[in-house]
Amino acid sequence: MSVLRSMAAGLRSLFRKERAGMELDEELTGFLEMAAEEKMKEGMTRQEAFRAARLERGSLEVTKEVIHSATWESFIDTCGRDFRFGVRTLCKSPGFTAVAIITLGLGIGANAAIFPAVYAVLLNRYLLRAQTGLIRAELADAADSKSS
Amino acid sequence: MTTTPRDLVHGTLDMLILKTLALQPMHGYGITMRLEQVSNGVFRVNAGSLFVALQRLERAGLIKSEWKATENSRRAKYYTLTQRGRKRLDNEEKEWERQVSAIARILEAS
């Protein structure tokens, strides 16, 4: 149940990121303002009070980051950003990208092409011809065969 | 205050938040204030750990939140304990007492 709930909450904040962010912003700003007001009652100026509150409770931006990175959906965010960064980097050096793609393509292609050939020529021929008469022979020690 | 405020014992923040909310719905700042006052300033909770815990508890369905006006006519998100939260609090209190008395026995043994 709680896994489902967490997923639903995560998806909601993933697809309505702006709204979730704004709500968190308002909540945290309110939190810091309340902390600062408390200090102003003790005689600090507005500026001093806000500075002290930030020092004591953590700054707004850092706190937002901490809260966001505690959720599972922040992982998806990070993956998306990494993917975009990767694509951008590859676009920047087309020569390298081309060599990498060709190397991978040849490697995968050669393997894919060679396996059916080997299978057809070397393996399949014998298997088909002598399927019922196939025997497996093993060497065994005398001691070994006694114990098993 | 002679000693500086300390961070909470690891893993107890959730329980303390649930306990605080068992009295009445509160906003984030209210929860920190109450934790500090009741502990006589021994514990101080920063915004990061508090809101991470609140988010976790809300996603686990132990508390729920709604925006309301505060007494100073500011808008704030108030957190309320749910039925599940109350049950969880009961369990955690019992487990905590069990552990504390076990630790006390170990410390007193000589």
mmCIF file with all atom_site columns, all heavy atoms in Angstrom, chain A residues 45-69:
data_model
loop_
_atom_site.group_PDB
_atom_site.id
_atom_site.type_symbol
_atom_site.label_atom_id
_atom_site.label_alt_id
_atom_site.label_comp_id
_atom_site.label_asym_id
_atom_site.label_entity_id
_atom_site.label_seq_id
_atom_site.pdbx_PDB_ins_code
_atom_site.Cartn_x
_atom_site.Cartn_y
_atom_site.Cartn_z
_atom_site.occupancy
_atom_site.B_iso_or_equiv
_atom_site.pdbx_formal_charge
_atom_site.auth_seq_id
_atom_site.auth_comp_id
_atom_site.auth_asym_id
_atom_site.auth_atom_id
_atom_site.pdbx_PDB_model_num
ATOM 1   N N   . THR A 1 45 ? 17.252 43.019 13.934 1.00 0.00 ? 45 THR A N   1
ATOM 2   C CA  . THR A 1 45 ? 16.675 43.666 12.762 1.00 0.00 ? 45 THR A CA  1
ATOM 3   C C   . THR A 1 45 ? 16.232 42.568 11.808 1.00 0.00 ? 45 THR A C   1
ATOM 4   O O   . THR A 1 45 ? 16.629 41.408 11.951 1.00 0.00 ? 45 THR A O   1
ATOM 5   C CB  . THR A 1 45 ? 17.702 44.553 12.032 1.00 0.00 ? 45 THR A CB  1
ATOM 6   O OG1 . THR A 1 45 ? 18.705 43.693 11.485 1.00 0.00 ? 45 THR A OG1 1
ATOM 7   C CG2 . THR A 1 45 ? 18.335 45.552 12.974 1.00 0.00 ? 45 THR A CG2 1
ATOM 8   N N   . ARG A 1 46 ? 15.416 42.979 10.826 1.00 0.00 ? 46 ARG A N   1
ATOM 9   C CA  . ARG A 1 46 ? 14.870 42.011 9.888  1.00 0.00 ? 46 ARG A CA  1
ATOM 10  C C   . ARG A 1 46 ? 15.988 41.225 9.195  1.00 0.00 ? 46 ARG A C   1
ATOM 11  O O   . ARG A 1 46 ? 15.943 40.004 9.077  1.00 0.00 ? 46 ARG A O   1
ATOM 12  C CB  . ARG A 1 46 ? 14.031 42.765 8.859  1.00 0.00 ? 46 ARG A CB  1
ATOM 13  C CG  . ARG A 1 46 ? 13.095 41.883 8.090  1.00 0.00 ? 46 ARG A CG  1
ATOM 14  C CD  . ARG A 1 46 ? 12.256 42.700 7.136  1.00 0.00 ? 46 ARG A CD  1
ATOM 15  N NE  . ARG A 1 46 ? 11.732 41.820 6.095  1.00 0.00 ? 46 ARG A NE  1
ATOM 16  C CZ  . ARG A 1 46 ? 10.774 40.920 6.299  1.00 0.00 ? 46 ARG A CZ  1
ATOM 17  N NH1 . ARG A 1 46 ? 10.200 40.818 7.478  1.00 0.00 ? 46 ARG A NH1 1
ATOM 18  N NH2 . ARG A 1 46 ? 10.363 40.149 5.321  1.00 0.00 ? 46 ARG A NH2 1
ATOM 19  N N   . GLN A 1 47 ? 17.007 41.986 8.755  1.00 0.00 ? 47 GLN A N   1
ATOM 20  C CA  . GLN A 1 47 ? 18.097 41.353 8.016  1.00 0.00 ? 47 GLN A CA  1
ATOM 21  C C   . GLN A 1 47 ? 18.862 40.358 8.889  1.00 0.00 ? 47 GLN A C   1
ATOM 22  O O   . GLN A 1 47 ? 19.125 39.219 8.472  1.00 0.00 ? 47 GLN A O   1
ATOM 23  C CB  . GLN A 1 47 ? 19.048 42.427 7.524  1.00 0.00 ? 47 GLN A CB  1
ATOM 24  C CG  . GLN A 1 47 ? 19.543 42.180 6.129  1.00 0.00 ? 47 GLN A CG  1
ATOM 25  C CD  . GLN A 1 47 ? 20.391 43.345 5.646  1.00 0.00 ? 47 GLN A CD  1
ATOM 26  O OE1 . GLN A 1 47 ? 20.495 44.384 6.300  1.00 0.00 ? 47 GLN A OE1 1
ATOM 27  N NE2 . GLN A 1 47 ? 20.998 43.161 4.493  1.00 0.00 ? 47 GLN A NE2 1
ATOM 28  N N   . GLU A 1 48 ? 19.208 40.803 10.074 1.00 0.00 ? 48 GLU A N   1
ATOM 29  C CA  . GLU A 1 48 ? 19.930 39.932 11.013 1.00 0.00 ? 48 GLU A CA  1
ATOM 30  C C   . GLU A 1 48 ? 19.131 38.665 11.299 1.00 0.00 ? 48 GLU A C   1
ATOM 31  O O   . GLU A 1 48 ? 19.676 37.569 11.340 1.00 0.00 ? 48 GLU A O   1
ATOM 32  C CB  . GLU A 1 48 ? 20.166 40.661 12.343 1.00 0.00 ? 48 GLU A CB  1
ATOM 33  C CG  . GLU A 1 48 ? 21.317 41.622 12.344 1.00 0.00 ? 48 GLU A CG  1
ATOM 34  C CD  . GLU A 1 48 ? 21.326 42.445 13.635 1.00 0.00 ? 48 GLU A CD  1
ATOM 35  O OE1 . GLU A 1 48 ? 20.372 42.335 14.437 1.00 0.00 ? 48 GLU A OE1 1
ATOM 36  O OE2 . GLU A 1 48 ? 22.280 43.192 13.818 1.00 0.00 ? 48 GLU A OE2 1
ATOM 37  N N   . ALA A 1 49 ? 17.827 38.890 11.508 1.00 0.00 ? 49 ALA A N   1
ATOM 38  C CA  . ALA A 1 49 ? 16.965 37.775 11.880 1.00 0.00 ? 49 ALA A CA  1
ATOM 39  C C   . ALA A 1 49 ? 16.951 36.721 10.777 1.00 0.00 ? 49 ALA A C   1
ATOM 40  O O   . ALA A 1 49 ? 17.068 35.523 11.047 1.00 0.00 ? 49 ALA A O   1
ATOM 41  C CB  . ALA A 1 49 ? 15.556 38.279 12.154 1.00 0.00 ? 49 ALA A CB  1
ATOM 42  N N   . PHE A 1 50 ? 16.829 37.159 9.518  1.00 0.00 ? 50 PHE A N   1
ATOM 43  C CA  . PHE A 1 50 ? 16.786 36.198 8.417  1.00 0.00 ? 50 PHE A CA  1
ATOM 44  C C   . PHE A 1 50 ? 18.107 35.469 8.271  1.00 0.00 ? 50 PHE A C   1
ATOM 45  O O   . PHE A 1 50 ? 18.150 34.269 8.007  1.00 0.00 ? 50 PHE A O   1
ATOM 46  C CB  . PHE A 1 50 ? 16.416 36.908 7.110  1.00 0.00 ? 50 PHE A CB  1
ATOM 47  C CG  . PHE A 1 50 ? 14.942 36.937 6.877  1.00 0.00 ? 50 PHE A CG  1
ATOM 48  C CD1 . PHE A 1 50 ? 14.154 37.966 7.374  1.00 0.00 ? 50 PHE A CD1 1
ATOM 49  C CD2 . PHE A 1 50 ? 14.330 35.898 6.189  1.00 0.00 ? 50 PHE A CD2 1
ATOM 50  C CE1 . PHE A 1 50 ? 12.795 37.964 7.179  1.00 0.00 ? 50 PHE A CE1 1
ATOM 51  C CE2 . PHE A 1 50 ? 12.959 35.900 5.990  1.00 0.00 ? 50 PHE A CE2 1
ATOM 52  C CZ  . PHE A 1 50 ? 12.188 36.941 6.489  1.00 0.00 ? 50 PHE A CZ  1
ATOM 53  N N   . ARG A 1 51 ? 19.206 36.230 8.466  1.00 0.00 ? 51 ARG A N   1
ATOM 54  C CA  . ARG A 1 51 ? 20.517 35.610 8.370  1.00 0.00 ? 51 ARG A CA  1
ATOM 55  C C   . ARG A 1 51 ? 20.678 34.530 9.446  1.00 0.00 ? 51 ARG A C   1
ATOM 56  O O   . ARG A 1 51 ? 21.130 33.426 9.168  1.00 0.00 ? 51 ARG A O   1
ATOM 57  C CB  . ARG A 1 51 ? 21.608 36.680 8.542  1.00 0.00 ? 51 ARG A CB  1
ATOM 58  C CG  . ARG A 1 51 ? 22.738 36.545 7.555  1.00 0.00 ? 51 ARG A CG  1
ATOM 59  C CD  . ARG A 1 51 ? 23.640 37.750 7.656  1.00 0.00 ? 51 ARG A CD  1
ATOM 60  N NE  . ARG A 1 51 ? 24.408 37.723 8.897  1.00 0.00 ? 51 ARG A NE  1
ATOM 61  C CZ  . ARG A 1 51 ? 25.591 37.117 9.016  1.00 0.00 ? 51 ARG A CZ  1
ATOM 62  N NH1 . ARG A 1 51 ? 26.116 36.502 7.973  1.00 0.00 ? 51 ARG A NH1 1
ATOM 63  N NH2 . ARG A 1 51 ? 26.232 37.120 10.156 1.00 0.00 ? 51 ARG A NH2 1
ATOM 64  N N   . ALA A 1 52 ? 20.273 34.896 10.664 1.00 0.00 ? 52 ALA A N   1
ATOM 65  C CA  . ALA A 1 52 ? 20.406 33.953 11.776 1.00 0.00 ? 52 ALA A CA  1
ATOM 66  C C   . ALA A 1 52 ? 19.542 32.713 11.532 1.00 0.00 ? 52 ALA A C   1
ATOM 67  O O   . ALA A 1 52 ? 19.965 31.579 11.786 1.00 0.00 ? 52 ALA A O   1
ATOM 68  C CB  . ALA A 1 52 ? 20.008 34.624 13.081 1.00 0.00 ? 52 ALA A CB  1
ATOM 69  N N   . ALA A 1 53 ? 18.326 32.933 11.007 1.00 0.00 ? 53 ALA A N   1
ATOM 70  C CA  . ALA A 1 53 ? 17.422 31.806 10.765 1.00 0.00 ? 53 ALA A CA  1
ATOM 71  C C   . ALA A 1 53 ? 18.017 30.865 9.729  1.00 0.00 ? 53 ALA A C   1
ATOM 72  O O   . ALA A 1 53 ? 17.978 29.646 9.880  1.00 0.00 ? 53 ALA A O   1
ATOM 73  C CB  . ALA A 1 53 ? 16.061 32.326 10.304 1.00 0.00 ? 53 ALA A CB  1
ATOM 74  N N   . ARG A 1 54 ? 18.604 31.468 8.678  1.00 0.00 ? 54 ARG A N   1
ATOM 75  C CA  . ARG A 1 54 ? 19.206 30.631 7.634  1.00 0.00 ? 54 ARG A CA  1
ATOM 76  C C   . ARG A 1 54 ? 20.375 29.825 8.186  1.00 0.00 ? 54 ARG A C   1
ATOM 77  O O   . ARG A 1 54 ? 20.559 28.663 7.862  1.00 0.00 ? 54 ARG A O   1
ATOM 78  C CB  . ARG A 1 54 ? 19.673 31.500 6.466  1.00 0.00 ? 54 ARG A CB  1
ATOM 79  C CG  . ARG A 1 54 ? 18.627 31.655 5.380  1.00 0.00 ? 54 ARG A CG  1
ATOM 80  C CD  . ARG A 1 54 ? 19.256 32.087 4.087  1.00 0.00 ? 54 ARG A CD  1
ATOM 81  N NE  . ARG A 1 54 ? 19.961 33.346 4.238  1.00 0.00 ? 54 ARG A NE  1
ATOM 82  C CZ  . ARG A 1 54 ? 19.397 34.536 4.117  1.00 0.00 ? 54 ARG A CZ  1
ATOM 83  N NH1 . ARG A 1 54 ? 18.130 34.632 3.823  1.00 0.00 ? 54 ARG A NH1 1
ATOM 84  N NH2 . ARG A 1 54 ? 20.103 35.640 4.272  1.00 0.00 ? 54 ARG A NH2 1
ATOM 85  N N   . LEU A 1 55 ? 21.169 30.489 9.010  1.00 0.00 ? 55 LEU A N   1
ATOM 86  C CA  . LEU A 1 55 ? 22.327 29.809 9.600  1.00 0.00 ? 55 LEU A CA  1
ATOM 87  C C   . LEU A 1 55 ? 21.885 28.645 10.474 1.00 0.00 ? 55 LEU A C   1
ATOM 88  O O   . LEU A 1 55 ? 22.464 27.562 10.447 1.00 0.00 ? 55 LEU A O   1
ATOM 89  C CB  . LEU A 1 55 ? 23.135 30.791 10.449 1.00 0.00 ? 55 LEU A CB  1
ATOM 90  C CG  . LEU A 1 55 ? 24.190 31.592 9.713  1.00 0.00 ? 55 LEU A CG  1
ATOM 91  C CD1 . LEU A 1 55 ? 24.843 32.584 10.659 1.00 0.00 ? 55 LEU A CD1 1
ATOM 92  C CD2 . LEU A 1 55 ? 25.239 30.651 9.135  1.00 0.00 ? 55 LEU A CD2 1
ATOM 93  N N   . GLU A 1 56 ? 20.847 28.886 11.256 1.00 0.00 ? 56 GLU A N   1
ATOM 94  C CA  . GLU A 1 56 ? 20.393 27.870 12.206 1.00 0.00 ? 56 GLU A CA  1
ATOM 95  C C   . GLU A 1 56 ? 19.678 26.718 11.519 1.00 0.00 ? 56 GLU A C   1
ATOM 96  O O   . GLU A 1 56 ? 19.845 25.567 11.892 1.00 0.00 ? 56 GLU A O   1
ATOM 97  C CB  . GLU A 1 56 ? 19.415 28.521 13.192 1.00 0.00 ? 56 GLU A CB  1
ATOM 98  C CG  . GLU A 1 56 ? 19.949 28.618 14.591 1.00 0.00 ? 56 GLU A CG  1
ATOM 99  C CD  . GLU A 1 56 ? 18.975 29.383 15.462 1.00 0.00 ? 56 GLU A CD  1
ATOM 100 O OE1 . GLU A 1 56 ? 17.775 29.065 15.414 1.00 0.00 ? 56 GLU A OE1 1
ATOM 101 O OE2 . GLU A 1 56 ? 19.425 30.300 16.170 1.00 0.00 ? 56 GLU A OE2 1
ATOM 102 N N   . ARG A 1 57 ? 18.845 27.066 10.534 1.00 0.00 ? 57 ARG A N   1
ATOM 103 C CA  . ARG A 1 57 ? 17.934 26.062 9.968  1.00 0.00 ? 57 ARG A CA  1
ATOM 104 C C   . ARG A 1 57 ? 18.349 25.566 8.599  1.00 0.00 ? 57 ARG A C   1
ATOM 105 O O   . ARG A 1 57 ? 17.708 24.684 8.061  1.00 0.00 ? 57 ARG A O   1
ATOM 106 C CB  . ARG A 1 57 ? 16.520 26.642 9.842  1.00 0.00 ? 57 ARG A CB  1
ATOM 107 C CG  . ARG A 1 57 ? 16.003 27.285 11.078 1.00 0.00 ? 57 ARG A CG  1
ATOM 108 C CD  . ARG A 1 57 ? 15.591 26.245 12.063 1.00 0.00 ? 57 ARG A CD  1
ATOM 109 N NE  . ARG A 1 57 ? 15.227 26.857 13.334 1.00 0.00 ? 57 ARG A NE  1
ATOM 110 C CZ  . ARG A 1 57 ? 14.970 26.168 14.422 1.00 0.00 ? 57 ARG A CZ  1
ATOM 111 N NH1 . ARG A 1 57 ? 15.031 24.865 14.402 1.00 0.00 ? 57 ARG A NH1 1
ATOM 112 N NH2 . ARG A 1 57 ? 14.670 26.779 15.537 1.00 0.00 ? 57 ARG A NH2 1
ATOM 113 N N   . GLY A 1 58 ? 19.349 26.176 7.993  1.00 0.00 ? 58 GLY A N   1
ATOM 114 C CA  . GLY A 1 58 ? 19.714 25.786 6.640  1.00 0.00 ? 58 GLY A CA  1
ATOM 115 C C   . GLY A 1 58 ? 19.077 26.717 5.628  1.00 0.00 ? 58 GLY A C   1
ATOM 116 O O   . GLY A 1 58 ? 17.947 27.154 5.827  1.00 0.00 ? 58 GLY A O   1
ATOM 117 N N   . SER A 1 59 ? 19.811 27.029 4.559  1.00 0.00 ? 59 SER A N   1
ATOM 118 C CA  . SER A 1 59 ? 19.294 27.993 3.587  1.00 0.00 ? 59 SER A CA  1
ATOM 119 C C   . SER A 1 59 ? 18.208 27.356 2.728  1.00 0.00 ? 59 SER A C   1
ATOM 120 O O   . SER A 1 59 ? 18.109 26.140 2.627  1.00 0.00 ? 59 SER A O   1
ATOM 121 C CB  . SER A 1 59 ? 20.414 28.512 2.702  1.00 0.00 ? 59 SER A CB  1
ATOM 122 O OG  . SER A 1 59 ? 20.668 27.568 1.686  1.00 0.00 ? 59 SER A OG  1
ATOM 123 N N   . LEU A 1 60 ? 17.437 28.213 2.097  1.00 0.00 ? 60 LEU A N   1
ATOM 124 C CA  . LEU A 1 60 ? 16.274 27.764 1.326  1.00 0.00 ? 60 LEU A CA  1
ATOM 125 C C   . LEU A 1 60 ? 16.673 26.812 0.204  1.00 0.00 ? 60 LEU A C   1
ATOM 126 O O   . LEU A 1 60 ? 16.099 25.732 0.061  1.00 0.00 ? 60 LEU A O   1
ATOM 127 C CB  . LEU A 1 60 ? 15.562 29.006 0.765  1.00 0.00 ? 60 LEU A CB  1
ATOM 128 C CG  . LEU A 1 60 ? 14.238 28.767 0.076  1.00 0.00 ? 60 LEU A CG  1
ATOM 129 C CD1 . LEU A 1 60 ? 13.225 28.245 1.057  1.00 0.00 ? 60 LEU A CD1 1
ATOM 130 C CD2 . LEU A 1 60 ? 13.746 30.048 -0.563 1.00 0.00 ? 60 LEU A CD2 1
ATOM 131 N N   . GLU A 1 61 ? 17.671 27.231 -0.575 1.00 0.00 ? 61 GLU A N   1
ATOM 132 C CA  . GLU A 1 61 ? 18.039 26.439 -1.759 1.00 0.00 ? 61 GLU A CA  1
ATOM 133 C C   . GLU A 1 61 ? 18.587 25.072 -1.370 1.00 0.00 ? 61 GLU A C   1
ATOM 134 O O   . GLU A 1 61 ? 18.226 24.054 -1.944 1.00 0.00 ? 61 GLU A O   1
ATOM 135 C CB  . GLU A 1 61 ? 19.076 27.201 -2.593 1.00 0.00 ? 61 GLU A CB  1
ATOM 136 C CG  . GLU A 1 61 ? 18.500 28.408 -3.329 1.00 0.00 ? 61 GLU A CG  1
ATOM 137 C CD  . GLU A 1 61 ? 17.263 28.058 -4.127 1.00 0.00 ? 61 GLU A CD  1
ATOM 138 O OE1 . GLU A 1 61 ? 17.272 27.031 -4.826 1.00 0.00 ? 61 GLU A OE1 1
ATOM 139 O OE2 . GLU A 1 61 ? 16.272 28.818 -4.042 1.00 0.00 ? 61 GLU A OE2 1
ATOM 140 N N   . VAL A 1 62 ? 19.472 25.062 -0.386 1.00 0.00 ? 62 VAL A N   1
ATOM 141 C CA  . VAL A 1 62 ? 20.070 23.796 0.057  1.00 0.00 ? 62 VAL A CA  1
ATOM 142 C C   . VAL A 1 62 ? 18.977 22.866 0.570  1.00 0.00 ? 62 VAL A C   1
ATOM 143 O O   . VAL A 1 62 ? 18.934 21.680 0.234  1.00 0.00 ? 62 VAL A O   1
ATOM 144 C CB  . VAL A 1 62 ? 21.117 24.050 1.157  1.00 0.00 ? 62 VAL A CB  1
ATOM 145 C CG1 . VAL A 1 62 ? 21.611 22.725 1.725  1.00 0.00 ? 62 VAL A CG1 1
ATOM 146 C CG2 . VAL A 1 62 ? 22.284 24.843 0.612  1.00 0.00 ? 62 VAL A CG2 1
ATOM 147 N N   . THR A 1 63 ? 18.078 23.422 1.368  1.00 0.00 ? 63 THR A N   1
ATOM 148 C CA  . THR A 1 63 ? 17.011 22.615 1.940  1.00 0.00 ? 63 THR A CA  1
ATOM 149 C C   . THR A 1 63 ? 16.127 22.015 0.851  1.00 0.00 ? 63 THR A C   1
ATOM 150 O O   . THR A 1 63 ? 15.764 20.843 0.901  1.00 0.00 ? 63 THR A O   1
ATOM 151 C CB  . THR A 1 63 ? 16.155 23.469 2.884  1.00 0.00 ? 63 THR A CB  1
ATOM 152 O OG1 . THR A 1 63 ? 17.007 24.095 3.822  1.00 0.00 ? 63 THR A OG1 1
ATOM 153 C CG2 . THR A 1 63 ? 15.139 22.627 3.604  1.00 0.00 ? 63 THR A CG2 1
ATOM 154 N N   . LYS A 1 64 ? 15.809 22.840 -0.157 1.00 0.00 ? 64 LYS A N   1
ATOM 155 C CA  . LYS A 1 64 ? 14.974 22.338 -1.251 1.00 0.00 ? 64 LYS A CA  1
ATOM 156 C C   . LYS A 1 64 ? 15.654 21.168 -1.943 1.00 0.00 ? 64 LYS A C   1
ATOM 157 O O   . LYS A 1 64 ? 15.029 20.171 -2.270 1.00 0.00 ? 64 LYS A O   1
ATOM 158 C CB  . LYS A 1 64 ? 14.721 23.460 -2.267 1.00 0.00 ? 64 LYS A CB  1
ATOM 159 C CG  . LYS A 1 64 ? 13.431 24.176 -2.005 1.00 0.00 ? 64 LYS A CG  1
ATOM 160 C CD  . LYS A 1 64 ? 12.927 24.952 -3.198 1.00 0.00 ? 64 LYS A CD  1
ATOM 161 C CE  . LYS A 1 64 ? 13.923 25.872 -3.814 1.00 0.00 ? 64 LYS A CE  1
ATOM 162 N NZ  . LYS A 1 64 ? 13.311 26.962 -4.574 1.00 0.00 ? 64 LYS A NZ  1
ATOM 163 N N   . GLU A 1 65 ? 16.958 21.321 -2.158 1.00 0.00 ? 65 GLU A N   1
ATOM 164 C CA  . GLU A 1 65 ? 17.718 20.275 -2.828 1.00 0.00 ? 65 GLU A CA  1
ATOM 165 C C   . GLU A 1 65 ? 17.707 18.989 -1.989 1.00 0.00 ? 65 GLU A C   1
ATOM 166 O O   . GLU A 1 65 ? 17.507 17.895 -2.506 1.00 0.00 ? 65 GLU A O   1
ATOM 167 C CB  . GLU A 1 65 ? 19.150 20.783 -3.052 1.00 0.00 ? 65 GLU A CB  1
ATOM 168 C CG  . GLU A 1 65 ? 19.986 19.970 -4.004 1.00 0.00 ? 65 GLU A CG  1
ATOM 169 C CD  . GLU A 1 65 ? 19.264 19.634 -5.287 1.00 0.00 ? 65 GLU A CD  1
ATOM 170 O OE1 . GLU A 1 65 ? 18.635 20.534 -5.889 1.00 0.00 ? 65 GLU A OE1 1
ATOM 171 O OE2 . GLU A 1 65 ? 19.322 18.451 -5.681 1.00 0.00 ? 65 GLU A OE2 1
ATOM 172 N N   . VAL A 1 66 ? 17.923 19.155 -0.679 1.00 0.00 ? 66 VAL A N   1
ATOM 173 C CA  . VAL A 1 66 ? 17.946 17.992 0.228  1.00 0.00 ? 66 VAL A CA  1
ATOM 174 C C   . VAL A 1 66 ? 16.615 17.262 0.168  1.00 0.00 ? 66 VAL A C   1
ATOM 175 O O   . VAL A 1 66 ? 16.559 16.031 0.080  1.00 0.00 ? 66 VAL A O   1
ATOM 176 C CB  . VAL A 1 66 ? 18.230 18.455 1.676  1.00 0.00 ? 66 VAL A CB  1
ATOM 177 C CG1 . VAL A 1 66 ? 17.966 17.328 2.661  1.00 0.00 ? 66 VAL A CG1 1
ATOM 178 C CG2 . VAL A 1 66 ? 19.667 18.926 1.802  1.00 0.00 ? 66 VAL A CG2 1
ATOM 179 N N   . ILE A 1 67 ? 15.520 18.028 0.207  1.00 0.00 ? 67 ILE A N   1
ATOM 180 C CA  . ILE A 1 67 ? 14.195 17.417 0.219  1.00 0.00 ? 67 ILE A CA  1
ATOM 181 C C   . ILE A 1 67 ? 13.917 16.706 -1.103 1.00 0.00 ? 67 ILE A C   1
ATOM 182 O O   . ILE A 1 67 ? 13.416 15.590 -1.130 1.00 0.00 ? 67 ILE A O   1
ATOM 183 C CB  . ILE A 1 67 ? 13.116 18.483 0.501  1.00 0.00 ? 67 ILE A CB  1
ATOM 184 C CG1 . ILE A 1 67 ? 13.288 19.021 1.913  1.00 0.00 ? 67 ILE A CG1 1
ATOM 185 C CG2 . ILE A 1 67 ? 11.726 17.906 0.311  1.00 0.00 ? 67 ILE A CG2 1
ATOM 186 C CD1 . ILE A 1 67 ? 12.459 20.234 2.191  1.00 0.00 ? 67 ILE A CD1 1
ATOM 187 N N   . HIS A 1 68 ? 14.288 17.370 -2.195 1.00 0.00 ? 68 HIS A N   1
ATOM 188 C CA  . HIS A 1 68 ? 14.021 16.770 -3.496 1.00 0.00 ? 68 HIS A CA  1
ATOM 189 C C   . HIS A 1 68 ? 14.831 15.490 -3.691 1.00 0.00 ? 68 HIS A C   1
ATOM 190 O O   . HIS A 1 68 ? 14.327 14.497 -4.208 1.00 0.00 ? 68 HIS A O   1
ATOM 191 C CB  . HIS A 1 68 ? 14.327 17.768 -4.609 1.00 0.00 ? 68 HIS A CB  1
ATOM 192 C CG  . HIS A 1 68 ? 14.055 17.218 -5.976 1.00 0.00 ? 68 HIS A CG  1
ATOM 193 N ND1 . HIS A 1 68 ? 12.793 16.828 -6.364 1.00 0.00 ? 68 HIS A ND1 1
ATOM 194 C CD2 . HIS A 1 68 ? 14.873 16.937 -7.017 1.00 0.00 ? 68 HIS A CD2 1
ATOM 195 C CE1 . HIS A 1 68 ? 12.855 16.361 -7.601 1.00 0.00 ? 68 HIS A CE1 1
ATOM 196 N NE2 . HIS A 1 68 ? 14.105 16.411 -8.014 1.00 0.00 ? 68 HIS A NE2 1
ATOM 197 N N   . SER A 1 69 ? 16.093 15.527 -3.272 1.00 0.00 ? 69 SER A N   1
ATOM 198 C CA  . SER A 1 69 ? 16.945 14.365 -3.549 1.00 0.00 ? 69 SER A CA  1
ATOM 199 C C   . SER A 1 69 ? 16.598 13.181 -2.655 1.00 0.00 ? 69 SER A C   1
ATOM 200 O O   . SER A 1 69 ? 17.102 12.081 -2.871 1.00 0.00 ? 69 SER A O   1
ATOM 201 C CB  . SER A 1 69 ? 18.422 14.727 -3.405 1.00 0.00 ? 69 SER A CB  1
ATOM 202 O OG  . SER A 1 69 ? 18.683 15.120 -2.084 1.00 0.00 ? 69 SER A OG  1
#
